[in-house]
Amino acid sequence: EGDSIQNQLIELQIITQEDWDEGVRAAGGSSDPRRVLHELTKVRAQWNLSGTQYPALTEFQLQQILGNRAERLVLEHYIILDRLGAGGMGEVFKARNLSLPRLEAVKTILSEGSGGSTGTGAHELERFKREARLLAQLDHRYVTTVHHAGRAHGVNFIAMEYVSGQNLKQIVEETLSDGEQVPVWWAVERIIGVAEALHHAHEKGIIHRDVKPQNIMITDKNDLRVLDLGIARLAGDSTGSDQTGALTQEATSLGTPDVMSPEQWANAKA
Protein backbone atom coordinates (compact mmCIF):
# COMPACT_ATOMS: atom_id res chain seq x y z
CA GLU A 1 0.00 0.00 0.00
CA GLY A 2 2.84 2.38 0.87
CA ASP A 3 4.56 1.95 -2.50
CA SER A 4 1.24 2.37 -4.29
CA ILE A 5 0.45 5.70 -2.59
CA GLN A 6 4.01 6.91 -2.99
CA ASN A 7 4.12 6.07 -6.69
CA GLN A 8 0.71 7.62 -7.33
CA LEU A 9 1.59 10.93 -5.66
CA ILE A 10 4.94 11.14 -7.44
CA GLU A 11 3.40 10.24 -10.80
CA LEU A 12 0.73 12.93 -10.30
CA GLN A 13 3.55 15.37 -9.38
CA ILE A 14 1.87 16.21 -6.09
CA ILE A 15 5.15 15.40 -4.32
CA THR A 16 8.67 14.44 -5.35
CA GLN A 17 10.73 11.41 -4.41
CA GLU A 18 12.80 13.74 -2.21
CA ASP A 19 9.62 14.86 -0.41
CA TRP A 20 8.62 11.25 0.30
CA ASP A 21 12.10 10.32 1.52
CA GLU A 22 12.08 13.32 3.86
CA GLY A 23 8.66 12.25 5.16
CA VAL A 24 9.97 8.75 5.85
CA ARG A 25 12.92 10.21 7.78
CA ALA A 26 10.57 12.48 9.75
CA ALA A 27 8.46 9.42 10.57
CA GLY A 28 11.51 7.69 12.04
CA GLY A 29 11.95 5.37 9.07
CA SER A 30 8.38 4.09 9.37
CA SER A 31 6.91 2.20 6.41
CA ASP A 32 3.35 3.13 7.47
CA PRO A 33 2.09 5.30 4.57
CA ARG A 34 -0.44 7.14 6.72
CA ARG A 35 2.24 8.14 9.18
CA VAL A 36 4.48 9.32 6.36
CA LEU A 37 1.62 11.29 4.81
CA HIS A 38 0.94 13.06 8.10
CA GLU A 39 4.64 13.89 8.44
CA LEU A 40 4.63 15.37 4.94
CA THR A 41 2.33 18.12 6.23
CA LYS A 42 5.24 19.23 8.45
CA VAL A 43 8.06 18.84 5.91
CA ARG A 44 8.97 21.76 3.69
CA ALA A 45 8.11 21.17 0.03
CA GLN A 46 10.88 20.94 -2.52
CA TRP A 47 9.00 23.29 -4.85
CA ASN A 48 8.65 26.23 -2.43
CA LEU A 49 8.54 29.53 -4.28
CA SER A 50 10.69 32.49 -3.36
CA GLY A 51 9.26 34.20 -0.31
CA THR A 52 6.82 31.39 0.52
CA GLN A 53 6.95 28.37 2.76
CA TYR A 54 4.69 25.42 1.98
CA PRO A 55 4.64 21.89 3.35
CA ALA A 56 5.11 18.94 1.02
CA LEU A 57 1.40 18.25 1.60
CA THR A 58 -1.22 20.71 2.79
CA GLU A 59 -3.91 19.60 5.22
CA PHE A 60 -6.45 19.85 2.40
CA GLN A 61 -4.35 17.61 0.17
CA LEU A 62 -3.89 15.13 3.00
CA GLN A 63 -7.64 14.78 3.49
CA GLN A 64 -8.20 14.29 -0.24
CA ILE A 65 -5.48 11.63 -0.42
CA LEU A 66 -6.78 9.76 2.64
CA GLY A 67 -10.21 9.84 1.00
CA ASN A 68 -8.80 8.20 -2.16
CA ARG A 69 -9.28 11.42 -4.12
CA ALA A 70 -5.67 12.22 -4.99
CA GLU A 71 -6.41 12.44 -8.72
CA ARG A 72 -8.84 15.29 -8.07
CA LEU A 73 -5.93 17.39 -6.87
CA VAL A 74 -4.61 17.60 -10.44
CA LEU A 75 -6.27 19.70 -13.14
CA GLU A 76 -4.06 19.60 -16.24
CA HIS A 77 -0.85 21.36 -15.15
CA TYR A 78 -2.29 22.64 -11.85
CA ILE A 79 -1.87 21.02 -8.43
CA ILE A 80 -4.64 21.99 -6.01
CA LEU A 81 -3.23 23.11 -2.66
CA ASP A 82 -6.19 24.40 -0.70
CA ARG A 83 -9.87 25.33 -0.91
CA LEU A 84 -10.42 29.08 -0.77
CA GLY A 85 -14.20 29.17 -0.91
CA ALA A 86 -17.37 28.36 -2.79
CA GLY A 87 -20.02 30.30 -4.64
CA GLY A 88 -23.17 29.78 -6.60
CA MET A 89 -21.29 28.47 -9.63
CA GLY A 90 -18.62 26.31 -8.06
CA GLU A 91 -15.53 26.33 -5.87
CA VAL A 92 -12.31 28.32 -5.79
CA PHE A 93 -8.95 26.74 -4.96
CA LYS A 94 -5.38 27.86 -4.50
CA ALA A 95 -3.22 25.94 -6.95
CA ARG A 96 0.39 25.57 -8.02
CA ASN A 97 1.20 25.94 -11.69
CA LEU A 98 3.58 23.16 -12.75
CA SER A 99 4.55 24.95 -15.95
CA LEU A 100 5.37 28.29 -14.36
CA PRO A 101 6.68 28.96 -10.84
CA ARG A 102 3.65 30.71 -9.42
CA LEU A 103 0.45 30.26 -7.46
CA GLU A 104 -2.90 30.77 -9.16
CA ALA A 105 -6.57 30.71 -8.21
CA VAL A 106 -8.55 27.95 -9.90
CA LYS A 107 -12.30 28.31 -10.15
CA THR A 108 -14.17 25.10 -10.92
CA ILE A 109 -17.65 23.95 -11.83
CA LEU A 110 -18.75 20.35 -12.21
CA SER A 111 -20.58 19.75 -15.44
CA GLU A 112 -23.82 17.83 -15.69
CA GLY A 113 -23.21 14.11 -15.82
CA SER A 114 -19.75 14.31 -14.31
CA GLY A 115 -20.82 12.22 -11.34
CA GLY A 116 -19.85 14.93 -8.87
CA SER A 117 -22.00 15.71 -5.88
CA THR A 118 -22.39 19.31 -7.02
CA GLY A 119 -23.14 18.70 -10.69
CA THR A 120 -24.76 21.66 -12.44
CA GLY A 121 -26.92 22.20 -15.47
CA ALA A 122 -26.37 23.72 -18.88
CA HIS A 123 -27.19 27.29 -17.80
CA GLU A 124 -24.58 27.30 -15.02
CA LEU A 125 -21.98 25.75 -17.33
CA GLU A 126 -22.61 28.40 -20.00
CA ARG A 127 -22.33 31.13 -17.38
CA PHE A 128 -18.99 29.67 -16.34
CA LYS A 129 -17.66 29.54 -19.90
CA ARG A 130 -18.84 33.09 -20.45
CA GLU A 131 -16.94 34.28 -17.38
CA ALA A 132 -13.69 32.98 -18.90
CA ARG A 133 -14.41 34.75 -22.18
CA LEU A 134 -15.33 38.00 -20.44
CA LEU A 135 -12.30 38.02 -18.17
CA ALA A 136 -10.00 37.28 -21.09
CA GLN A 137 -11.13 40.54 -22.71
CA LEU A 138 -10.08 42.65 -19.73
CA ASP A 139 -6.60 44.01 -19.13
CA HIS A 140 -6.58 46.33 -16.12
CA ARG A 141 -4.48 46.50 -12.96
CA TYR A 142 -7.60 46.28 -10.79
CA VAL A 143 -9.16 43.26 -12.53
CA THR A 144 -7.95 39.69 -11.96
CA THR A 145 -6.08 38.28 -14.96
CA VAL A 146 -7.14 35.00 -16.57
CA HIS A 147 -4.25 32.66 -17.38
CA HIS A 148 -5.99 29.51 -18.63
CA ALA A 149 -9.33 27.75 -19.11
CA GLY A 150 -9.63 23.99 -19.37
CA ARG A 151 -11.39 20.78 -18.42
CA ALA A 152 -10.12 17.73 -16.54
CA HIS A 153 -11.85 14.77 -14.86
CA GLY A 154 -15.23 16.17 -15.87
CA VAL A 155 -14.39 19.48 -14.21
CA ASN A 156 -14.40 22.77 -16.11
CA PHE A 157 -12.06 25.34 -14.65
CA ILE A 158 -10.58 28.79 -15.04
CA ALA A 159 -7.07 29.54 -13.75
CA MET A 160 -6.51 33.16 -12.84
CA GLU A 161 -4.28 35.47 -10.86
CA TYR A 162 -4.12 34.46 -7.20
CA VAL A 163 -4.90 37.39 -4.92
CA SER A 164 -3.95 37.15 -1.26
CA GLY A 165 -5.66 39.62 1.03
CA GLN A 166 -9.04 40.59 2.47
CA ASN A 167 -12.24 41.81 0.89
CA LEU A 168 -13.74 45.19 1.81
CA LYS A 169 -16.48 43.63 3.94
CA GLN A 170 -13.90 41.88 6.12
CA ILE A 171 -11.77 45.02 6.43
CA VAL A 172 -14.68 47.26 7.42
CA GLU A 173 -16.06 44.75 9.93
CA GLU A 174 -12.65 44.28 11.56
CA THR A 175 -12.08 48.05 11.72
CA LEU A 176 -15.47 48.68 13.33
CA SER A 177 -15.03 45.81 15.79
CA ASP A 178 -11.82 47.52 16.97
CA GLY A 179 -13.82 50.66 17.69
CA GLU A 180 -12.26 52.56 14.80
CA GLN A 181 -13.53 54.13 11.58
CA VAL A 182 -12.35 53.59 8.02
CA PRO A 183 -10.48 56.76 6.96
CA VAL A 184 -12.41 58.75 4.38
CA TRP A 185 -9.33 59.24 2.18
CA TRP A 186 -8.72 55.48 2.16
CA ALA A 187 -12.33 54.73 1.18
CA VAL A 188 -12.30 57.38 -1.55
CA GLU A 189 -9.11 55.95 -3.09
CA ARG A 190 -10.65 52.46 -3.24
CA ILE A 191 -13.93 53.73 -4.66
CA ILE A 192 -12.00 55.52 -7.42
CA GLY A 193 -10.08 52.30 -8.15
CA VAL A 194 -13.29 50.27 -8.40
CA ALA A 195 -14.80 52.92 -10.67
CA GLU A 196 -11.72 52.75 -12.94
CA ALA A 197 -11.99 48.96 -13.16
CA LEU A 198 -15.72 49.10 -13.94
CA HIS A 199 -15.12 51.84 -16.51
CA HIS A 200 -12.57 49.61 -18.24
CA ALA A 201 -15.12 46.77 -18.26
CA HIS A 202 -17.81 49.07 -19.63
CA GLU A 203 -15.47 50.15 -22.43
CA LYS A 204 -15.37 46.46 -23.39
CA GLY A 205 -19.18 46.40 -23.23
CA ILE A 206 -19.23 44.40 -19.97
CA ILE A 207 -21.50 45.15 -17.00
CA HIS A 208 -20.47 43.48 -13.72
CA ARG A 209 -23.99 43.09 -12.17
CA ASP A 210 -22.76 42.06 -8.71
CA VAL A 211 -20.55 44.83 -7.34
CA LYS A 212 -20.39 44.47 -3.55
CA PRO A 213 -17.80 44.70 -0.75
CA GLN A 214 -17.22 40.92 -0.85
CA ASN A 215 -16.15 41.21 -4.50
CA ILE A 216 -13.61 43.97 -3.88
CA MET A 217 -10.29 42.60 -2.64
CA ILE A 218 -7.45 44.53 -1.03
CA THR A 219 -4.27 42.56 -1.53
CA ASP A 220 -1.47 42.04 0.97
CA LYS A 221 0.43 44.71 -0.99
CA ASN A 222 -2.48 47.15 -0.45
CA ASP A 223 -3.53 46.94 -4.09
CA LEU A 224 -7.10 46.50 -5.28
CA ARG A 225 -8.87 43.84 -7.34
CA VAL A 226 -12.47 43.62 -8.53
CA LEU A 227 -13.51 39.97 -8.45
CA ASP A 228 -16.25 37.66 -9.72
CA LEU A 229 -17.59 38.45 -13.15
CA GLY A 230 -19.59 35.23 -13.01
CA ILE A 231 -22.93 36.94 -13.68
CA ALA A 232 -21.66 39.77 -15.88
CA ARG A 233 -23.40 40.52 -19.16
CA LEU A 234 -22.58 42.42 -22.31
CA ALA A 235 -24.22 45.82 -22.57
CA GLY A 236 -26.68 46.86 -25.23
CA ASP A 237 -28.87 43.74 -25.31
CA SER A 238 -31.38 42.41 -22.78
CA THR A 239 -32.90 39.78 -25.01
CA GLY A 240 -31.10 36.85 -23.43
CA SER A 241 -29.38 35.90 -26.66
CA ASP A 242 -26.25 33.78 -26.83
CA GLN A 243 -24.38 36.82 -28.14
CA THR A 244 -24.75 38.68 -24.84
CA GLY A 245 -24.65 35.61 -22.65
CA ALA A 246 -27.78 36.74 -20.78
CA LEU A 247 -28.53 33.28 -19.50
CA THR A 248 -30.80 34.23 -16.64
CA GLN A 249 -33.75 31.91 -16.46
CA GLU A 250 -37.18 33.48 -16.61
CA ALA A 251 -38.29 35.01 -13.28
CA THR A 252 -34.88 34.29 -11.75
CA SER A 253 -32.68 37.16 -10.57
CA LEU A 254 -28.93 36.86 -10.50
CA GLY A 255 -27.10 39.00 -7.99
CA THR A 256 -26.93 39.73 -4.29
CA PRO A 257 -30.31 41.01 -2.99
CA ASP A 258 -28.80 43.49 -0.51
CA VAL A 259 -26.90 45.35 -3.24
CA MET A 260 -28.92 44.64 -6.38
CA SER A 261 -29.90 47.62 -8.51
CA PRO A 262 -33.59 48.52 -8.97
CA GLU A 263 -33.29 47.44 -12.60
CA GLN A 264 -32.25 43.91 -11.56
CA TRP A 265 -35.12 43.68 -9.08
CA ALA A 266 -37.58 44.77 -11.78
CA ASN A 267 -36.12 42.61 -14.54
CA ALA A 268 -33.94 39.53 -14.00
CA LYS A 269 -32.32 40.11 -17.40
CA ALA A 270 -31.28 43.70 -16.62
Side-chain angles (χ1 to χ4, degrees):
E1 181 186 5
D3 288 343
S4 176
I5 293 176
Q6 173 188 353
N7 292 337
Q8 181 189 31
L9 298 183
I10 293 174
E11 182 178 348
L12 291 172
Q13 300 186 66
I14 295 173
I15 64 170
T16 65
Q17 181 64 57
E18 290 78 10
D19 288 326
W20 184 266
D21 292 341
E22 188 62 31
V24 171
R25 283 192 290 270
S30 174
S31 60
D32 180 357
R34 286 180 171 265
R35 184 174 174 184
V36 175
L37 289 173
H38 280 281
E39 289 299 328
L40 285 173
T41 64
K42 308 170 190 176
V43 171
R44 183 183 179 190
Q46 298 291 321
W47 60 266
N48 268 293
L49 304 175
S50 176
T52 63
Q53 295 287 328
Y54 282 92
L57 285 181
T58 65
E59 289 291 341
F60 177 81
Q61 290 176 320
L62 174 63
Q63 295 307 314
Q64 297 301 304
I65 293 167
L66 293 178
N68 295 318
R69 296 184 296 271
E71 290 186 355
R72 297 188 186 183
L73 294 171
V74 182
L75 296 175
E76 293 187 0
H77 54 284
Y78 295 95
I79 303 295
I80 302 299
L81 299 175
D82 203 357
R83 184 175 181 270
L84 298 176
M89 289 176 59
E91 296 178 294
V92 182
F93 300 91
K94 182 192 296 185
R96 174 169 63 101
N97 187 327
L98 292 175
S99 300
L100 298 170
R102 67 187 178 196
L103 298 176
E104 297 183 24
V106 171
K107 187 171 186 178
T108 67
I109 182 171
L110 294 181
S111 61
E112 200 169 34
S114 67
S117 59
T118 57
T120 54
H123 275 69
E124 288 76 11
L125 182 56
E126 282 305 311
R127 283 169 54 199
F128 184 80
K129 291 179 178 178
R130 184 181 72 249
E131 180 177 16
R133 294 193 294 268
L134 293 178
L135 283 170
Q137 296 180 44
L138 304 179
D139 182 17
H140 192 276
R141 61 175 295 192
Y142 296 145
V143 178
T144 49
T145 303
V146 168
H147 298 306
H148 182 72
R151 178 181 173 86
H153 313 304
V155 177
N156 296 277
F157 69 93
I158 302 172
M160 62 188 76
E161 172 189 13
Y162 170 67
V163 179
S164 177
Q166 290 182 298
N167 65 50
L168 278 186
K169 184 175 187 294
Q170 293 171 322
I171 292 173
V172 171
E173 288 178 346
E174 287 185 9
T175 302
L176 295 179
S177 67
D178 291 337
E180 300 177 359
Q181 297 291 324
V182 175
V184 174
W185 65 266
W186 189 92
V188 170
E189 284 186 357
R190 273 69 195 169
I191 291 171
I192 291 173
V194 172
E196 290 177 357
L198 296 178
H199 176 68
H200 173 72
H202 290 179
E203 288 184 324
K204 300 291 186 179
I206 300 169
I207 300 174
H208 191 292
R209 298 177 78 213
D210 196 24
V211 181
K212 59 185 178 182
Q214 296 93 316
N215 282 338
I216 300 169
M217 181 75 75
I218 305 301
T219 73
D220 292 339
K221 296 181 179 179
N222 204 32
D223 208 347
L224 180 147
R225 292 291 187 280
V226 177
L227 310 177
D228 201 356
L229 281 160
I231 63 171
R233 61 167 298 116
L234 298 183
D237 191 324
S238 59
T239 62
S241 67
D242 289 339
Q243 180 181 358
T244 66
L247 296 169
T248 310
Q249 296 181 20
E250 185 175 357
T252 300
S253 293
L254 291 177
T256 304
D258 289 347
V259 297
M260 278 172 59
S261 66
E263 301 95 299
Q264 283 175 280
W265 277 109
N267 179 4
K269 295 180 180 179

